[in-house]
Amino acid sequence: MSGRIQAPRGTYDVLGEQALARDALERRARAILERAGYERIETPAFEATELFARGVGESTDVVQKQMYTLQDSDGESITLRPEGTAPACRAYMEHGMHKRPQPVKLWYLSSFFRRERPQKGRFRQFWQVGIEAIGSDDPAVDAEAILLLAEILEAAGVRARLRISSLGMPLNRLRYRDELQRYLRDNAARLSDDVVARIDLNPLRAFDSEHPGTRAVMEGAPRLLDALDREDAAHFASVRELLDAAGLPYEVDTTLVRGLDYYTRTVFEFTSDDLGAQSGVGGGGRYDGLIEQLGGPPTPGIGWAAGVERILLAGSLAHDAAPPLDLFVACDEPALRSEAFRLAADARRAGHTARLELGGRSLKGQLRRADREDARYVAILRVDGTALRNMETKEQQEVERDTVIHHIARVDL
Ligand code: HAM
């Protein structure tokens, strides 16, 4: 006997209440983002592997361990998108969006794929709501982006803490990197093997480590924020000023590092204590070198993404119930099936919710079902006429069949 096939590890089906909650989140996010001039973008679920290798960075966990990569039959290597920033930048270049007024503001709510160990709030296929504002390095774009995520989280009932920092521009970061590498090498004996192995490739990730020895060493490590040059420091000061002016509380965290390589200048993360180990609800930052990295002209950009599952887990988004049923069309006369079918369709076209018996129940069974589904009205089609029953008052009256919609609409008012 062969076993039953189940959804792959780290994936899940979206059903019932969960589907309603997602709809509600999408509606809220759309309203908030469109008010700020963001337009929807949907990129393909898979891209050339090189886009992520070059965009996200060879040294990141995402590229090294988590990508679902496959060889297409024509020999091309393709990867299920692990994130949305590199694809949005690819689309920006491919469609000549630099010719439009800058910045171009894009938002998405899409599914992404990472081969991670599944746990609460961590999946192998997950959804992100995210934005990318490409083409301006104005600190106001940074502050606005952060405010928008704060607004969405608030609307979803998520209590989250905001941490921000600045990584500076690459040249300055290189100088700082040398200094940090020297410090890490001097203290290598107390660091985890993982961190030691990455001293050359990605020393900043040492700030991310949970390893007690590493954490102790990192307490005394030089901080990037103290090493920013004048321009980067002024940019960060402006972002902070605008957030202060907007009254958004935040904490400057000099140890904040993000798991993706493309960040420059502003980085930020919202975390929630209601999530357990996977406390990151959403985060992002500036990526002023990414488009160049991908073969385009120097173009600044900033964005964020937030996990839909984590927002729903940590939040308390009120969502509408399924719309109430206005009309149930009951009939157990085979000769009247098409009449019944048409009445239900006409009622829906007139804007009502209407359902028809499709399960082959007896008339009694149909009435029981209409009751269970909380139908407001039941139309009972017989050969010799049509009865309309008001399910609240239990009153029943004979009506002309083609006046049923008129009746349910009239009482509606
Ligand atoms: P990220 O921090 O890798 O950033 O992911 C953003 C959010 O996606 C996380 O805070 C988390 O809520 C959610 N997330 C990530 N991985 C998983 C997973 N395996 N299961 C469930 N949720 C997950 C990015 O992806 C960047 N592209 C954000 C960005 C946009 N930066 C600039 N623009």
Side-chain angles (χ1 to χ4, degrees), residues 83 85 114 116 121 123 128 132 258 262-263 280-281 303-305 307:
E83 63 98 50
T85 310
R114 294 183 194 176
E116 296 197 76
F123 302 92
Q128 284 182 344
E132 312 295 345
R258 307 254 318 127
Y262 45 61
Y263 292 112
V281 200
W304 50 255

Side-chain angles (χ1 to χ4, degrees), residues 203-362:
L204 273 168
R205 291 301 300 274
F207 284 111
D208 247 0
S209 174
E210 302 284 333
H211 176 258
T214 307
R215 289 182 77 114
V217 172
M218 296 322 284
E219 294 268 309
R223 304 284 190 215
L224 179 51
L225 212 48
D226 299 326
L228 291 186
D229 69 18
R230 254 217 333 256
E231 253 181 85
D232 290 347
H235 191 275
F236 188 51
S238 298
V239 175
R240 293 187 53 182
E241 222 170 83
L242 291 165
L243 292 178
D244 291 339
L248 185 71
Y250 61 85
E251 191 185 307
V252 174
D253 180 351
T254 52
T255 68
L256 181 62
V257 272
R258 307 254 318 127
L260 312 168
D261 270 0
Y262 45 61
Y263 292 112
T264 53
R265 292 191 159 174
T266 315
V267 284
F268 55 94
E269 205 153 75
F270 285 85
T271 50
S272 164
D273 293 337
D274 301 324
L275 279 174
Q278 299 305 313
S279 61
V281 200
R286 214 162 240 300
Y287 43 86
D288 290 349
L290 177 55
I291 291 206
E292 213 174 344
Q293 186 87 16
L294 295 173
T299 312
I302 179 163
W304 50 255
V308 166
E309 295 81 6
R310 293 188 194 175
I311 293 178
L312 294 177
L313 260 172
S316 54
L317 189 71
H319 61 79
D320 303 335
L325 181 58
D326 297 321
L327 178 68
F328 187 93
V329 181
C331 163
D332 71 348
E333 288 287 344
L336 295 178
R337 282 282 289 171
S338 58
E339 289 278 321
F341 186 85
R342 211 186 61 206
L343 176 55
D346 285 348
R348 284 193 292 264
R349 246 197 307 273
H352 302 289
T353 48
R355 243 163 272 163
L356 173 70
E357 168 63 20
L358 296 170
R361 291 176 182 80
S362 67

